[in-house]
Amino acid sequence: MEAYVLDWVNLLLRWAHVIVAIAWIGSSFYFVFLDNSLTKPEDPDLKAKGVDGELWAVHGGGFYHPQKYMVAPKSLPSNLHWFYWESYSTWLTGFALFTVLYLYQAGTFLIDKNLFAWSPAGAIAAALGFLVAFWLVYDGICRAFGQKPGGDRIVGIGVTIAVVIASWLACQLFAGRAAFLLVGAMMATAMSANVFFWIIPGQRTVMAQMKAGEPVDPVHGQRAKQRSVHNTYFTLPVLIAMLSNHYGFLYGAKHNWVVLVLVMLAGALIRHSFVVRHKALVAGKRVPWEYAVAGTVLVLALAIWLAPAPVPKGTSVAPPSFAQVQGVIVERCAMCHNEQVVSKGVQLHTAELISRNAQAIYQQAVVLKAMPMNNATQITDAERSLLGRWFEAGAPAQ
């Protein structure tokens, strides 16, 4: 019953997390597009009001005219919308999901004793430490170099190095599936911390200065904009790290930390392509699609690198006997899928049950390589291949 309840909690938290994440990432993408698509106003009235950029758009049968003020408007509007609950809700639901699935079940999902045999308490503490440590390192790099000439490039290089080191370390300490998700979670934590510690406080400071009749210091807006841009570059790497836990061929690869770094780099390149595209269109310049092309080529190169070795032409491999298949299932799978332990509602302790679940066995153990969890039973590639040949031969029961 406990497993059933956890499945429902997992489902509802995951659903809520996806909903609020869509809202946050959608607003982030929109405002980056808006900032890079604004044109200088020609209307004298807009200039007099302090409007620095405007955009005309059409959507849903109506016309929209968003405007951006240089630093701040001359007076505060009575109805002002704040964009922060999208971020906080995403982090809170994500952390709750991480707690339920990985921290609460650390011995199953967080630890791979073949990599590092530590206690659940130690693994939990280290995982939480990753979230805090990356924020401190990232924030320190931004504080030290963010406001200096050429600082954006230095920050970009420094943060990239920090992500690479964290990816390598996570894959040495945690089960591959957990390591990938943990790297995504630490970057997502930095994104939400940017909102909490920099973007919203900066906006509140600007408002306080306006209410006090003091000159508005533009540095608060500049810092908020810088952190907001960082967030938009983190989005696609974070998303692929989060989605990776469904694909064992990624986190189960021999050099999985390299796979993680490269797939996140591909996401960052593709995101950069769209950012610079907006600027190019406004300036009437050529759209630099080469970044998106580079990201796509990188993904294709990864797919080729991780592809299983093809069977030589002319080689005929006879389908395995059911006895061989049952032997693999009993040794590698049945300990979690039997009459007493019914993991995910699947039982594999009889020949009939093995045949009934042939599709699931093929999908999870052969195609996705997601099972056994963290390869706890050390199933070999040869055994996965054996199960694959059995299924492709029609999954005969005898």
Side-chain angles (χ1 to χ4, degrees):
M1 180 58 72
E2 180 184 3
Y4 178 71
V5 172
L6 283 176
D7 277 345
W8 266 105
V9 173
N10 187 343
L11 170 63
L12 296 177
L13 280 175
R14 193 180 298 271
W15 192 13
H17 183 55
V18 170
I19 291 170
V20 292
I22 289 171
W24 184 20
I25 293 174
S27 62
S28 171
F29 279 16
Y30 173 73
F31 277 104
V32 169
F33 154 77
L34 185 60
D35 275 343
N36 292 329
S37 302
L38 294 172
T39 57
K40 293 291 182 181
E42 298 180 0
D43 189 332
D45 292 337
L46 293 180
K47 294 179 181 179
K49 290 194 299 182
V51 174
D52 186 51
E54 64 174 340
L55 172 72
W56 280 97
V58 60
H59 178 75
F63 290 88
Y64 296 80
H65 187 205
Q67 302 165 0
K68 183 176 181 178
Y69 288 77
M70 185 180 296
V71 184
K74 295 179 180 179
S75 60
L76 287 174
S78 58
N79 188 12
L80 184 64
H81 181 78
W82 291 76
F83 286 87
Y84 56 84
W85 276 114
E86 295 89 344
S87 168
Y88 301 162
S89 299
T90 300
W91 190 87
L92 289 170
T93 54
F95 185 75
L97 187 60
F98 182 64
T99 299
V100 168
L101 186 56
Y102 286 87
L103 302 186
Y104 181 71
Q105 304 177 87
T108 301
F109 290 93
L110 202 57
I111 298 172
D112 183 347
K113 292 186 177 180
N114 295 303
L115 291 174
F116 200 87
W118 51 7
S119 66
I124 291 169
L128 296 176
F130 259 79
L131 305 184
V132 176
F134 180 75
W135 162 248
L136 293 176
V137 171
Y138 161 76
D139 188 57
I141 292 172
C142 293
R143 286 174 182 266
F145 304 105
Q147 300 302 312
K148 294 183 178 181
D152 287 341
R153 183 179 295 274
I154 297 173
V155 168
I157 294 172
V159 173
T160 299
I161 293 173
V163 170
V164 171
I165 293 174
S167 300
W168 173 82
L169 187 58
C171 289
Q172 308 310 306
L173 298 177
F174 301 98
R177 180 182 182 186
F180 275 45
L181 188 135
L182 185 58
V183 170
M186 76 181 193
M187 295 171 68
T189 297
M191 291 171 66
S192 201
N194 276 338
V195 177
F196 186 81
F197 290 111
W198 287 99
I199 297 174
I200 297 303
Q203 292 172 344
R204 293 193 187 281
T205 300
V206 168
M207 292 183 64
Q209 290 174 338
M210 293 178 66
K211 290 179 179 179
E214 299 173 355
V216 175
D217 189 345
V219 71
H220 302 293
Q222 293 166 1
R223 288 172 177 167
K225 174 66 182 299
Q226 182 187 58
R227 298 301 180 104
S228 181
V229 170
H230 292 175
N231 279 2
T232 202
Y233 278 101
F234 280 158
T235 51
L236 296 192
V238 166
L239 285 174
I240 191 61
M242 298 300 185
L243 292 172
S244 67
N245 62 34
H246 298 287
Y247 303 96
F249 64 85
L250 289 177
Y251 61 75
K254 183 177 181 181
H255 302 289
N256 57 355
W257 72 272
V258 178
V259 174
L260 176 58
V261 168
L262 292 181
V263 76
M264 289 195 299
L265 175 60
L269 286 169
I270 292 170
R271 181 68 191 125
H272 179 64
S273 175
F274 282 91
V275 172
V276 295
R277 173 183 178 272
H278 305 320
K279 294 181 179 179
L281 289 174
V282 171
K285 297 180 180 179
R286 181 186 69 85
V287 174
W289 288 110
E290 56 267 24
Y291 297 105
V293 172
T296 303
V297 169
L298 189 52
V299 171
L300 292 175
L302 272 172
I304 294 171
W305 176 34
L306 299 177
V311 178
K313 291 183 178 180
T315 302
S316 178
V317 181
S321 67
F322 185 78
Q324 290 176 296
V325 171
Q326 190 169 25
V328 173
I329 298 296
V330 168
E331 183 177 1
R332 308 300 189 186
C333 310
M335 62 184 62
C336 294
H337 300 280
N338 54 60
E339 194 171 8
Q340 289 75 37
V341 182
V342 190
S343 181
K344 301 297 182 183
V346 175
Q347 294 175 298
L348 299 173
H349 58 283
T350 69
E352 179 187 357
L353 290 169
I354 291 173
S355 296
R356 186 188 305 171
N357 290 287
Q359 179 79 29
I361 293 170
Y362 180 70
Q363 289 176 346
Q364 297 297 320
V366 181
V367 178
L368 298 179
K369 296 184 178 180
M371 291 293 163
M373 180 65 63
N374 297 329
N375 200 11
T377 58
Q378 298 297 296
I379 188 172
T380 66
D381 287 340
E383 289 169 331
R384 293 186 192 276
S385 177
L386 183 147
L387 295 177
R389 297 199 309 274
W390 167 70
F391 178 81
E392 290 163 1
Q398 297 297 332

